[in-house]
Amino acid sequence: MHQAILVGVETAIADDPELTVRMPGFVGIQPVRVVLDSRQRLPLTSKLVKDAERLPTVVITVENPNNRLTDAGVTVIQVAHSEGRPEPRAIVEALQGDFDRRLVERFGEEASGSTAMNLMIEGGGQVAASFLSAGLVDQIEWFRAPMILGDEGRPAIGAFVLKDLASAPRFRRLAVEMVGDDLWERYGKA
């Protein structure tokens, strides 16, 4: 149900994810795989780069596109930044433009601007915090496992500054469901 899935470069390097739908019987279109990578550090040996010729892969950066990645089939998009990090609104605008271009390539000029891209922000915590702070999150899909990691674990939401409690992003619970031993909570913007 998402046209694109986004992770930060730290998650991409640490986990080497595929960022594909691997449900039994799935025959739909794979989402565009997006990595926020200010300095274009994504390794050529990563699954994302190795499959870039077959599965659309985009790196969002603040620098000029690097031939190392573009030669491997990765689309590299330079966006506006603040303190060396891509601006969340610039990211969304760039991805919508890329999505529109792909629609036109696939369905013709009449498809241009016909639909909004649905972006899933997979992680990490600082990426999630930046999109929340920018007011760009409409829905949260939260999975909790029955384990405790303590302060050695990675935060699902990184640090962001609130002026006061009233300015905290607000969501309403839409559903709670058990998935194996995990709890799946869904929230919509309040």
Side-chain angles (χ1 to χ4, degrees):
M1 64 188 216
H2 298 91
Q3 288 77 36
I5 181 168
L6 180 145
V7 296
V9 69
E10 296 296 332
T11 298
I13 291 171
D15 297 348
D16 195 19
E18 294 179 46
L19 301 182
T20 56
V21 178
R22 295 180 298 280
M23 296 178 349
F26 178 78
V27 294
I29 297 171
Q30 290 289 343
V32 173
R33 299 147 350 134
V34 181
V35 179
L36 298 184
D37 188 359
S38 299
R39 295 173 296 176
Q40 301 173 66
R41 299 182 293 137
L42 190 64
L44 293 177
T45 56
S46 71
K47 292 174 186 170
L48 293 166
V49 175
K50 284 182 180 178
D51 287 341
E53 292 286 347
R54 186 175 64 83
L55 298 168
T57 306
V58 174
V59 164
I60 301 290
T61 185
V62 300
E63 300 175 344
N64 290 325
N66 185 320
N67 289 345
R68 179 182 73 82
L69 292 171
T70 57
D71 290 350
V74 175
T75 300
V76 179
I77 302 174
Q78 183 179 8
V79 298
H81 62 92
S82 174
E83 298 177 17
R85 292 183 179 265
E87 288 283 346
R89 289 195 186 282
I91 294 165
V92 170
E93 289 170 11
L95 290 175
Q96 182 66 51
D98 184 66
F99 178 66
D100 286 344
R101 180 186 59 78
R102 291 176 196 273
L103 279 176
V104 168
E105 286 174 1
R106 187 173 173 131
F107 300 109
E109 195 62 43
E110 62 276 0
S112 179
S114 63
T115 187
M117 174 198 59
N118 192 336
L119 173 65
M120 176 185 202
I121 301 168
E122 168 92 15
Q126 197 54 50
V127 170
S130 68
F131 279 84
L132 278 164
S133 292
L136 295 172
V137 176
D138 296 324
Q139 194 171 324
I140 296 173
E141 306 274 335
W142 199 279
F143 290 86
R144 290 193 289 160
M147 64 175 68
I148 298 172
L149 300 178
D151 67 358
E152 296 299 316
R154 305 281 300 206
I157 307 294
F160 64 96
V161 178
L162 295 173
K163 291 182 277 188
D164 53 41
L165 193 55
S167 65
R170 302 262 182 207
F171 291 84
R172 69 186 187 298
R173 186 177 308 124
L174 303 174
V176 178
E177 185 176 328
M178 293 297 296
V179 180
D181 287 338
D182 295 345
L183 190 64
W184 176 19
E185 298 171 89
R186 286 170 272 190
Y187 295 87
K189 200 169 196 172

